[in-house]
């Protein structure tokens, strides 16, 4: 498999040309609104060393979002907490999917992305329609694409921010030691939350999607960026409008507002999230940052090797 994008040397020199939309901060001003308490229902599972709660918390406009909250059995807190976001078209799955962080001594909240969970891991959170209705390319990227206030990711990013509030509300969680993480779409949501929640302890964004999105739409050979290119192939007169909308959700713009220590990862043969798009966000990131690079991997990135690197990074900050 050849390099999908720039060489590593060129990525180190690359700087994003993404344009920040006017009124970006005002657009996100209401994201922390209190829309009610989260519920945590202890459930019975096959997991003997972990305790699992079925979570529902109010996301965008108070609409319910589902998740799993997992802690070590017998933990009495206060615990550092990792809030995790899923990849594109995945959901929270089953409790048996959520073993890594609680096994390492953390509280772990793994949330759904609304309306997703029909691709590679199940989800249980619906979306509210007809918000953002109108012509779209199949998928989620162009849903509401002509108006940032109606775009799909406005709701999803709001949900992700409020997941942090939900996690902090649980009695076993130390609210000063909360980190956010995710892979691909989850990595993009991690950057958004890091830019919108000023007092996170740490973040980890692996092969993040939703970064440097015009470049992604021009360079990606596989994956969701092709939805944007497919839409614009038909709607030739809407290029500026589309990328102004997507700019409100671009990790490059969130990164410049983020201050929590972060670990990125990039894969040099990634055709879904081209590595230059990851570096576009990385170079813009305002806080302390590190990056792991996988020179001969595609969108799978570092997989278990990166899981171990992420745990070492988090342990150095959160001290579980």
């Amino acid at each position: 498999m050849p390099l999908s994008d720039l060489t590593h040397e060129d990525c180190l020199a690359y700087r994003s040309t993404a344009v920040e939309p006017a009124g970006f901060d005002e657009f996100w001003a209401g994201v922390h609104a209190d829309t009610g308490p989260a519920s945590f229902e202890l459930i019975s599972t096959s997991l003997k060393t972990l305790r699992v709660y079925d979570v529902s918390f109010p996301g965008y406009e108070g609409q319910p979002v589902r998740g799993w909250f997992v802690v070590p059995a017998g933990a009495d807190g206060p615990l550092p907490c990792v809030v995790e976001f899923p990849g594109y078209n995945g959901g929270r799955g089953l409790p048996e999917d959520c073993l890594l962080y609680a096994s390492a001594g953390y509280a772990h909240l793994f949330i759904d992305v609304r309306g997703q969970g029909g691709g590679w891991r199940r989800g249980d959170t619906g979306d509210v329609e007809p918000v953002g209705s109108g012509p779209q390319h199949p998928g989620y990227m162009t849903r509401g694409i002509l108006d940032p206030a109606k775009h799909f990711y406005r709701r999803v990013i709001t949900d992700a921010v409020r997941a942090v509030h939900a996690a902090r509300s649980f009695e076993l969680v130390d609210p000063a030691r909360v980190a956010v993480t995710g892979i691909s779409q989850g990595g993009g949501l991690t950057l958004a939350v890091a830019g919108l929640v000023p007092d996170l302890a740490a973040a980890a964004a692996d092969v993040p999607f939703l970064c440097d999105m015009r470049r992604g739409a021009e360079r990606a050979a596989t994956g969701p960026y092709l939805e944007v290119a497919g839409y614009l192939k038909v709607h030739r007169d809407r290029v500026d409008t589309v990328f102004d909308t997507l700019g409100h959700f671009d990790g490059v713009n969130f990164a410049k507002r983020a201050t929590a220590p972060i670990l990125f990862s990039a894969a040099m043969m990634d055709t879904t999230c081209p590595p230059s798009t990851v570096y576009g966000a990385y170079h813009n990131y305002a806080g302390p940052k590190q990056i792991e690079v996988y020179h001969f991997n595609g969108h799978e990135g570092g997989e278990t090797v990166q899981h171990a690197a992420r745990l070492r990074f988090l342990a150095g900050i959160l001290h579980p």
Side-chain angles (χ1 to χ4, degrees), residues 59-65 113-116 125-133 140 143 150-152 155-156 159:
Y60 177 78
E61 292 191 342
Q63 296 156 6
V65 179
V113 167
R114 57 175 62 235
Q116 296 188 9
T125 302
D127 196 10
V128 174
E129 296 290 357
V131 175
S133 61
Y140 303 93
R143 186 176 295 181
K150 297 179 180 179
H151 193 269
F152 174 75
R155 306 195 294 285
V156 172
D159 295 345

Side-chain angles (χ1 to χ4, degrees), residues 40-89:
F40 296 80
E41 179 186 353
L42 183 64
I43 64 170
S44 176
T45 73
S46 61
L47 304 173
K48 303 304 182 186
T49 62
L50 304 175
R51 196 160 74 238
V52 180
Y53 297 81
D54 190 348
V55 179
S56 178
F57 65 90
Y60 177 78
E61 292 191 342
Q63 296 156 6
V65 179
R66 304 290 296 279
W68 299 120
F69 185 78
V70 188
V71 298
D76 57 6
L79 294 173
C81 182
V82 177
V83 179
E84 185 178 7
F85 313 114
Y88 192 80
N89 209 14

Side-chain angles (χ1 to χ4, degrees), residues 78-297:
L79 294 173
C81 182
V82 177
V83 179
E84 185 178 7
F85 313 114
Y88 192 80
N89 209 14
R92 66 174 181 167
L94 300 173
E96 289 78 6
D97 293 314
C98 304
L99 307 179
L100 181 67
Y101 295 105
S103 297
Y106 300 98
H108 177 210
L109 175 59
F110 188 31
I111 74 163
D112 269 338
V113 167
R114 57 175 62 235
Q116 296 188 9
W120 57 277
R121 180 181 286 173
R122 60 176 282 179
D124 298 306
T125 302
D127 196 10
V128 174
E129 296 290 357
V131 175
S133 61
Q136 68 179 75
H137 193 85
Y140 303 93
M141 288 297 292
T142 62
R143 186 176 295 181
I145 195 66
L146 301 182
D147 183 350
K150 297 179 180 179
H151 193 269
F152 174 75
Y153 277 103
R154 184 190 189 194
R155 306 195 294 285
V156 172
I157 289 172
T158 302
D159 295 345
V161 167
R162 293 179 183 171
V164 173
H165 299 324
R168 284 175 162 166
S169 74
F170 193 76
E171 59 187 7
L172 290 179
V173 170
D174 179 352
R177 291 188 293 162
V178 174
V180 291
T181 191
I183 301 170
S184 190
Q185 175 183 258
L189 295 177
T190 292
L191 289 170
V193 174
L196 292 169
V197 180
D199 55 350
L200 291 173
D206 290 325
V207 291
F209 177 47
L210 304 172
C211 295
D212 213 348
M213 285 200 265
R214 178 157 189 160
R215 186 174 180 87
E218 292 171 343
R219 293 297 182 100
T222 58
Y225 285 127
L226 298 184
E227 298 170 20
V228 179
Y231 180 91
L232 290 174
K233 183 177 180 179
V234 176
H235 300 279
R236 297 171 174 84
D237 58 334
R238 295 177 177 174
V239 173
D240 291 342
T241 300
V242 162
F243 288 111
D244 179 78
T245 292
L246 292 178
H248 292 80
F249 316 106
D250 197 314
V252 168
N253 297 325
F254 290 116
K256 68 180 72 171
R257 294 164 166 81
T259 58
I262 192 169
L263 177 66
F264 281 80
S265 73
M268 297 308 298
M269 295 183 176
D270 191 342
T271 59
T272 298
C273 295
S276 61
T277 67
V278 176
Y279 272 95
Y282 175 79
H283 290 310
N284 254 26
Y285 197 85
K289 58 196 176 189
Q290 307 172 37
I291 189 166
E292 297 281 346
V293 181
Y294 298 95
H295 292 272
F296 293 93
N297 288 92

